Amino acid sequence: MSRTIITITEYPSMRGRYKASVKRTGQRVYQCECGIGAGAAAAKAVELAMGEDAVIIADTNVMTIVPVEFGGKA
């Protein structure tokens, strides 16, 4: 079974800007820019998780926006 782990983190030097790290089983990690704000980060996480067996890991600000189907908090 292939699992994808998506980690959303805020840049420490640029508050409000987020990046995504994506690790698929048996593959190397790649990173991409999410944009500015928790909403943009949540949207990117959901986009990356579509069609995947994915786990999204992010701070509370982002996870409250992510839909419950993708592991968000209602």
Side-chain angles (χ1 to χ4, degrees):
M1 172 192 271
S2 180
R3 166 98 358 143
T4 301
I5 300 172
I6 301 165
T7 307
I8 305 293
T9 54
E10 188 174 22
Y11 285 104
S13 62
M14 295 181 284
R15 305 302 292 169
R17 293 191 65 105
Y18 292 85
K19 66 179 175 179
S21 299
V22 181
K23 170 75 170 129
R24 290 189 174 94
T25 304
Q27 295 181 358
R28 61 187 194 136
V29 174
Y30 74 88
Q31 294 184 347
C32 60
E33 183 76 25
C34 292
I36 299 172
K44 188 64 168 182
V46 170
E47 176 188 339
L48 293 169
M50 296 290 256
E52 302 273 346
D53 180 21
V55 174
I56 299 172
I57 301 169
D59 66 12
T60 307
N61 295 336
V62 175
M63 291 306 288
T64 55
I65 301 170
V66 172
V68 176
E69 294 84 7
F70 293 97
K73 299 180 179 173

